[in-house]
Amino acid sequence: MPRKPKRPCSYPGCPRLTEGRYCEEHERMENKRYEKYDRNPDTKKRYGREWQRIRKRYVEKHPFCEQCYEHGVLIPVEEVHHKKPLAEGGTHDVDNLISLCQSCHARIHAQHGDRWHKK
């Protein structure tokens, strides 16, 4: 099957032809620019492979939102929340975790004030 014809790089003023949106040089620049909105590297370290394993085991034992479950509503877990945030000295201990749906998780962060930096 024939390939699509190359097109000019989308970076302003770049004459190079490319198969994607940007040429290789500008692709790297755009990726770097985009990554500045990514999570802080220190935070990324706290949520690595070990956290994924802990989270998976916790979800297997607590498959429904624990707050909704108390009210008799069964909503599948979407988030595993730290009761005491890692940034404040919390751990990945099972005692510090709670299974939540998206709306309960958002409500907790809104009440705590850390979602919109209102501290």
Side-chain angles (χ1 to χ4, degrees):
M1 179 170 217
R3 299 177 93 168
K4 289 168 70 174
K6 290 188 176 186
R7 55 184 290 265
C9 174
S10 292
Y11 193 83
C14 181
R16 294 188 189 107
L17 295 176
T18 181
E19 292 176 353
R21 183 170 182 191
Y22 296 101
C23 63
E24 287 182 28
E25 176 187 351
H26 294 121
E27 180 81 31
R28 284 192 298 273
M29 285 176 54
E30 284 298 307
N31 287 342
K32 188 174 182 180
R33 184 180 66 84
Y34 183 77
E35 286 172 4
K36 76 178 181 181
Y37 300 107
D38 206 5
R39 214 176 224 174
N40 183 339
D42 295 332
T43 306
K44 275 187 178 180
K45 289 178 188 175
R46 292 187 225 145
Y47 292 101
R49 182 172 287 166
E50 179 186 359
W51 164 246
Q52 296 301 323
R53 287 188 197 122
I54 293 168
R55 183 189 186 288
K56 183 179 177 186
R57 280 195 304 266
Y58 192 81
V59 169
E60 286 171 357
K61 291 180 182 175
H62 304 91
F64 301 107
C65 173
E66 295 179 42
Q67 288 188 345
C68 292
Y69 188 78
E70 290 175 5
H71 301 316
V73 181
L74 295 178
I75 297 179
V77 65
E78 295 176 294
E79 303 282 344
V80 175
H81 179 73
H82 291 87
K83 295 174 187 173
K84 182 175 182 182
L86 297 178
E88 296 174 10
T91 64
H92 290 317
D93 243 9
V94 175
D95 300 337
N96 191 38
L97 301 176
I98 184 169
S99 291
L100 298 172
C101 63
Q102 190 69 40
S103 61
C104 289
H105 190 245
R107 186 178 339 101
I108 287 174
H109 279 287
Q111 289 169 348
H112 193 256
D114 58 349
R115 179 70 73 182
W116 295 278
H117 307 291
K118 293 182 181 177
K119 285 187 177 180

PDB file of all heavy atoms in Angstrom, residues 22-38:
ATOM      1  N   TYR A  22       5.419  17.172  12.997  1.00  0.00           N
ATOM      2  CA  TYR A  22       6.648  17.962  13.072  1.00  0.00           C
ATOM      3  C   TYR A  22       7.828  17.148  12.566  1.00  0.00           C
ATOM      4  O   TYR A  22       7.810  15.913  12.618  1.00  0.00           O
ATOM      5  CB  TYR A  22       6.948  18.381  14.516  1.00  0.00           C
ATOM      6  CG  TYR A  22       5.912  19.297  15.123  1.00  0.00           C
ATOM      7  CD1 TYR A  22       4.956  18.809  16.003  1.00  0.00           C
ATOM      8  CD2 TYR A  22       5.895  20.648  14.818  1.00  0.00           C
ATOM      9  CE1 TYR A  22       4.012  19.640  16.567  1.00  0.00           C
ATOM     10  CE2 TYR A  22       4.963  21.495  15.381  1.00  0.00           C
ATOM     11  CZ  TYR A  22       4.018  20.988  16.254  1.00  0.00           C
ATOM     12  OH  TYR A  22       3.090  21.827  16.797  1.00  0.00           O
ATOM     13  N   CYS A  23       8.891  17.844  12.132  1.00  0.00           N
ATOM     14  CA  CYS A  23      10.134  17.144  11.782  1.00  0.00           C
ATOM     15  C   CYS A  23      10.762  16.666  13.093  1.00  0.00           C
ATOM     16  O   CYS A  23      10.311  17.027  14.187  1.00  0.00           O
ATOM     17  CB  CYS A  23      11.076  18.093  11.034  1.00  0.00           C
ATOM     18  SG  CYS A  23      11.637  19.510  11.987  1.00  0.00           S
ATOM     19  N   GLU A  24      11.812  15.844  13.016  1.00  0.00           N
ATOM     20  CA  GLU A  24      12.412  15.265  14.211  1.00  0.00           C
ATOM     21  C   GLU A  24      12.870  16.328  15.203  1.00  0.00           C
ATOM     22  O   GLU A  24      12.653  16.202  16.401  1.00  0.00           O
ATOM     23  CB  GLU A  24      13.596  14.370  13.825  1.00  0.00           C
ATOM     24  CG  GLU A  24      13.183  13.067  13.187  1.00  0.00           C
ATOM     25  CD  GLU A  24      14.378  12.184  12.867  1.00  0.00           C
ATOM     26  OE1 GLU A  24      15.402  12.289  13.562  1.00  0.00           O
ATOM     27  OE2 GLU A  24      14.270  11.401  11.916  1.00  0.00           O
ATOM     28  N   GLU A  25      13.507  17.367  14.720  1.00  0.00           N
ATOM     29  CA  GLU A  25      14.015  18.430  15.597  1.00  0.00           C
ATOM     30  C   GLU A  25      12.879  19.112  16.358  1.00  0.00           C
ATOM     31  O   GLU A  25      12.928  19.286  17.573  1.00  0.00           O
ATOM     32  CB  GLU A  25      14.771  19.465  14.767  1.00  0.00           C
ATOM     33  CG  GLU A  25      15.261  20.652  15.574  1.00  0.00           C
ATOM     34  CD  GLU A  25      15.864  21.750  14.714  1.00  0.00           C
ATOM     35  OE1 GLU A  25      16.057  21.529  13.496  1.00  0.00           O
ATOM     36  OE2 GLU A  25      16.134  22.824  15.263  1.00  0.00           O
ATOM     37  N   HIS A  26      11.847  19.490  15.633  1.00  0.00           N
ATOM     38  CA  HIS A  26      10.755  20.212  16.270  1.00  0.00           C
ATOM     39  C   HIS A  26       9.835  19.287  17.075  1.00  0.00           C
ATOM     40  O   HIS A  26       9.165  19.744  18.001  1.00  0.00           O
ATOM     41  CB  HIS A  26       9.982  21.021  15.222  1.00  0.00           C
ATOM     42  CG  HIS A  26      10.810  22.112  14.639  1.00  0.00           C
ATOM     43  ND1 HIS A  26      11.082  22.193  13.286  1.00  0.00           N
ATOM     44  CD2 HIS A  26      11.473  23.140  15.217  1.00  0.00           C
ATOM     45  CE1 HIS A  26      11.857  23.241  13.075  1.00  0.00           C
ATOM     46  NE2 HIS A  26      12.116  23.824  14.228  1.00  0.00           N
ATOM     47  N   GLU A  27       9.828  18.024  16.750  1.00  0.00           N
ATOM     48  CA  GLU A  27       9.076  17.044  17.535  1.00  0.00           C
ATOM     49  C   GLU A  27       9.633  17.001  18.956  1.00  0.00           C
ATOM     50  O   GLU A  27       8.899  17.021  19.930  1.00  0.00           O
ATOM     51  CB  GLU A  27       9.176  15.661  16.884  1.00  0.00           C
ATOM     52  CG  GLU A  27       8.427  14.575  17.612  1.00  0.00           C
ATOM     53  CD  GLU A  27       6.951  14.572  17.302  1.00  0.00           C
ATOM     54  OE1 GLU A  27       6.577  14.945  16.185  1.00  0.00           O
ATOM     55  OE2 GLU A  27       6.177  14.200  18.197  1.00  0.00           O
ATOM     56  N   ARG A  28      10.986  16.959  19.058  1.00  0.00           N
ATOM     57  CA  ARG A  28      11.631  16.963  20.373  1.00  0.00           C
ATOM     58  C   ARG A  28      11.314  18.249  21.130  1.00  0.00           C
ATOM     59  O   ARG A  28      11.035  18.229  22.322  1.00  0.00           O
ATOM     60  CB  ARG A  28      13.140  16.784  20.235  1.00  0.00           C
ATOM     61  CG  ARG A  28      13.557  15.354  19.919  1.00  0.00           C
ATOM     62  CD  ARG A  28      15.043  15.166  20.075  1.00  0.00           C
ATOM     63  NE  ARG A  28      15.825  16.000  19.171  1.00  0.00           N
ATOM     64  CZ  ARG A  28      16.175  15.674  17.934  1.00  0.00           C
ATOM     65  NH1 ARG A  28      15.803  14.501  17.449  1.00  0.00           N
ATOM     66  NH2 ARG A  28      16.877  16.483  17.191  1.00  0.00           N
ATOM     67  N   MET A  29      11.361  19.386  20.438  1.00  0.00           N
ATOM     68  CA  MET A  29      11.066  20.672  21.075  1.00  0.00           C
ATOM     69  C   MET A  29       9.632  20.709  21.598  1.00  0.00           C
ATOM     70  O   MET A  29       9.377  21.163  22.718  1.00  0.00           O
ATOM     71  CB  MET A  29      11.277  21.824  20.085  1.00  0.00           C
ATOM     72  CG  MET A  29      12.720  22.150  19.823  1.00  0.00           C
ATOM     73  SD  MET A  29      12.951  23.425  18.567  1.00  0.00           S
ATOM     74  CE  MET A  29      11.941  24.749  19.168  1.00  0.00           C
ATOM     75  N   GLU A  30       8.698  20.238  20.807  1.00  0.00           N
ATOM     76  CA  GLU A  30       7.296  20.246  21.210  1.00  0.00           C
ATOM     77  C   GLU A  30       7.055  19.298  22.386  1.00  0.00           C
ATOM     78  O   GLU A  30       6.304  19.620  23.306  1.00  0.00           O
ATOM     79  CB  GLU A  30       6.391  19.872  20.033  1.00  0.00           C
ATOM     80  CG  GLU A  30       6.216  20.984  19.034  1.00  0.00           C
ATOM     81  CD  GLU A  30       5.555  22.216  19.633  1.00  0.00           C
ATOM     82  OE1 GLU A  30       4.471  22.100  20.242  1.00  0.00           O
ATOM     83  OE2 GLU A  30       6.130  23.305  19.491  1.00  0.00           O
ATOM     84  N   ASN A  31       7.702  18.129  22.363  1.00  0.00           N
ATOM     85  CA  ASN A  31       7.562  17.187  23.470  1.00  0.00           C
ATOM     86  C   ASN A  31       8.098  17.792  24.759  1.00  0.00           C
ATOM     87  O   ASN A  31       7.490  17.658  25.821  1.00  0.00           O
ATOM     88  CB  ASN A  31       8.267  15.867  23.174  1.00  0.00           C
ATOM     89  CG  ASN A  31       7.527  15.053  22.145  1.00  0.00           C
ATOM     90  OD1 ASN A  31       6.351  15.272  21.886  1.00  0.00           O
ATOM     91  ND2 ASN A  31       8.219  14.108  21.536  1.00  0.00           N
ATOM     92  N   LYS A  32       9.242  18.463  24.673  1.00  0.00           N
ATOM     93  CA  LYS A  32       9.836  19.082  25.852  1.00  0.00           C
ATOM     94  C   LYS A  32       8.929  20.189  26.384  1.00  0.00           C
ATOM     95  O   LYS A  32       8.720  20.332  27.589  1.00  0.00           O
ATOM     96  CB  LYS A  32      11.220  19.643  25.505  1.00  0.00           C
ATOM     97  CG  LYS A  32      11.992  20.119  26.692  1.00  0.00           C
ATOM     98  CD  LYS A  32      13.396  20.517  26.299  1.00  0.00           C
ATOM     99  CE  LYS A  32      14.177  20.951  27.516  1.00  0.00           C
ATOM    100  NZ  LYS A  32      15.538  21.332  27.183  1.00  0.00           N
ATOM    101  N   ARG A  33       8.370  20.984  25.492  1.00  0.00           N
ATOM    102  CA  ARG A  33       7.469  22.065  25.892  1.00  0.00           C
ATOM    103  C   ARG A  33       6.224  21.493  26.572  1.00  0.00           C
ATOM    104  O   ARG A  33       5.763  21.995  27.590  1.00  0.00           O
ATOM    105  CB  ARG A  33       7.054  22.887  24.673  1.00  0.00           C
ATOM    106  CG  ARG A  33       6.188  24.089  25.000  1.00  0.00           C
ATOM    107  CD  ARG A  33       5.818  24.852  23.740  1.00  0.00           C
ATOM    108  NE  ARG A  33       4.965  24.112  22.846  1.00  0.00           N
ATOM    109  CZ  ARG A  33       3.635  24.035  22.959  1.00  0.00           C
ATOM    110  NH1 ARG A  33       3.024  24.656  23.931  1.00  0.00           N
ATOM    111  NH2 ARG A  33       2.941  23.339  22.095  1.00  0.00           N
ATOM    112  N   TYR A  34       5.711  20.415  26.034  1.00  0.00           N
ATOM    113  CA  TYR A  34       4.504  19.802  26.581  1.00  0.00           C
ATOM    114  C   TYR A  34       4.773  19.190  27.956  1.00  0.00           C
ATOM    115  O   TYR A  34       3.931  19.240  28.844  1.00  0.00           O
ATOM    116  CB  TYR A  34       3.989  18.737  25.614  1.00  0.00           C
ATOM    117  CG  TYR A  34       2.701  18.097  26.053  1.00  0.00           C
ATOM    118  CD1 TYR A  34       1.498  18.766  25.902  1.00  0.00           C
ATOM    119  CD2 TYR A  34       2.685  16.838  26.625  1.00  0.00           C
ATOM    120  CE1 TYR A  34       0.303  18.201  26.312  1.00  0.00           C
ATOM    121  CE2 TYR A  34       1.501  16.259  27.041  1.00  0.00           C
ATOM    122  CZ  TYR A  34       0.318  16.944  26.877  1.00  0.00           C
ATOM    123  OH  TYR A  34      -0.846  16.376  27.289  1.00  0.00           O
ATOM    124  N   GLU A  35       5.955  18.610  28.160  1.00  0.00           N
ATOM    125  CA  GLU A  35       6.275  17.930  29.404  1.00  0.00           C
ATOM    126  C   GLU A  35       6.363  18.868  30.593  1.00  0.00           C
ATOM    127  O   GLU A  35       6.305  18.427  31.734  1.00  0.00           O
ATOM    128  CB  GLU A  35       7.577  17.143  29.254  1.00  0.00           C
ATOM    129  CG  GLU A  35       7.407  15.895  28.423  1.00  0.00           C
ATOM    130  CD  GLU A  35       8.725  15.215  28.096  1.00  0.00           C
ATOM    131  OE1 GLU A  35       9.774  15.673  28.576  1.00  0.00           O
ATOM    132  OE2 GLU A  35       8.688  14.237  27.347  1.00  0.00           O
ATOM    133  N   LYS A  36       6.477  20.172  30.360  1.00  0.00           N
ATOM    134  CA  LYS A  36       6.553  21.082  31.499  1.00  0.00           C
ATOM    135  C   LYS A  36       5.235  21.099  32.271  1.00  0.00           C
ATOM    136  O   LYS A  36       5.180  21.512  33.410  1.00  0.00           O
ATOM    137  CB  LYS A  36       6.951  22.482  31.058  1.00  0.00           C
ATOM    138  CG  LYS A  36       5.875  23.298  30.402  1.00  0.00           C
ATOM    139  CD  LYS A  36       6.384  24.675  30.060  1.00  0.00           C
ATOM    140  CE  LYS A  36       5.296  25.510  29.418  1.00  0.00           C
ATOM    141  NZ  LYS A  36       5.775  26.829  29.061  1.00  0.00           N
ATOM    142  N   TYR A  37       4.157  20.632  31.642  1.00  0.00           N
ATOM    143  CA  TYR A  37       2.873  20.552  32.325  1.00  0.00           C
ATOM    144  C   TYR A  37       2.671  19.193  32.986  1.00  0.00           C
ATOM    145  O   TYR A  37       1.632  18.956  33.585  1.00  0.00           O
ATOM    146  CB  TYR A  37       1.728  20.806  31.339  1.00  0.00           C
ATOM    147  CG  TYR A  37       1.822  22.163  30.702  1.00  0.00           C
ATOM    148  CD1 TYR A  37       2.210  22.304  29.380  1.00  0.00           C
ATOM    149  CD2 TYR A  37       1.559  23.309  31.430  1.00  0.00           C
ATOM    150  CE1 TYR A  37       2.313  23.552  28.794  1.00  0.00           C
ATOM    151  CE2 TYR A  37       1.674  24.558  30.859  1.00  0.00           C
ATOM    152  CZ  TYR A  37       2.041  24.671  29.540  1.00  0.00           C
ATOM    153  OH  TYR A  37       2.156  25.904  28.971  1.00  0.00           O
ATOM    154  N   ASP A  38       3.649  18.331  32.869  1.00  0.00           N
ATOM    155  CA  ASP A  38       3.563  16.997  33.429  1.00  0.00           C
ATOM    156  C   ASP A  38       3.809  17.058  34.937  1.00  0.00           C
ATOM    157  O   ASP A  38       4.161  18.081  35.492  1.00  0.00           O
ATOM    158  CB  ASP A  38       4.607  16.100  32.743  1.00  0.00           C
ATOM    159  CG  ASP A  38       4.229  14.645  32.752  1.00  0.00           C
ATOM    160  OD1 ASP A  38       3.124  14.322  33.204  1.00  0.00           O
ATOM    161  OD2 ASP A  38       5.044  13.830  32.291  1.00  0.00           O
TER     162      ASP A  38
END
